Every structure is written in structure tokens, then in C-alpha cells.
Amino acid sequence: MASNASLIEHPLPKRLRAARERAGLSQARLGTLAGMDPSVASERMNQYERGVHEPKFSVVVAIATVLEVPTAYFYCLEDDLAEELYSRAR
């Protein structure tokens, strides 16, 4: 029998996309600013946003720095708390 924890969707993909769009950045530009090679930045960011791959924590830290949000924003399960974290960073 599956536990309820296994049914929880990882919040990082949707939070990453929301923060990137709020910043007005393309996937390629965000990836490049976060230190990715420009030739793969768009594809990697797309995979992260779709939940195909999960970025290493060091990549999340770099992305959070570029987007000026706390890393906790990407991992917070509660939407209202995530919005509070985002707002405080502004």
C-alpha cells in the first residue's frame, strides 16, 4: 500500500516556473544566469519545470540567487506559505 507521502507532488517545478515568469526571464536566460552552458540552459530548465529531472541543490541555490527568492520557496508544500516567502524576498 502506498503512503500518502508518495502521492505528494514535488512543488519545485511549479514554483520554478512561477518565479521565472514573474522575473520576466526565458528558460534559456535563467539557466545561463544560473551558470549553465547556454547550449543546454533552455532544455535543462524546461526539464526542471516539467518535473522530468530534479536539479541538484547547488543548482537550486544558483537559481534562487538569480531570482532573488529563498531556496525554501521551491520546496514549500503550502502555497500560501510559499507566497509569503516570495513576498518577503521582494
Side-chain angles (χ1 to χ4, degrees):
M1 183 174 209
S3 71
N4 287 339
S6 66
L7 301 176
I8 297 172
E9 185 178 326
H10 198 304
L12 188 138
K14 72 177 180 179
R15 302 238 193 280
L16 176 56
R17 181 177 181 171
R20 177 184 60 77
E21 288 178 346
R22 285 178 171 176
L25 296 173
S26 68
Q27 291 174 334
R29 183 71 179 140
L30 175 56
T32 301
L33 290 172
M36 296 174 199
D37 184 294
S39 66
V40 299
S42 180
E43 180 180 348
R44 284 181 60 193
M45 293 303 300
N46 183 274
Q47 291 174 347
Y48 297 155
E49 288 185 10
R50 290 186 297 127
V52 174
H53 295 291
E54 184 175 343
K56 292 181 183 179
F57 186 70
S58 60
V59 174
V60 174
V61 170
I63 291 169
T65 300
V66 171
L67 295 174
E68 299 178 343
V69 297
T71 54
Y73 167 79
F74 295 113
Y75 297 100
C76 184
L77 292 177
E78 300 82 11
D79 290 336
D80 56 342
L81 182 54
E83 285 304 309
E84 177 73 21
L85 290 169
Y86 184 88
S87 296
R88 285 185 182 188
R90 299 283 155 248

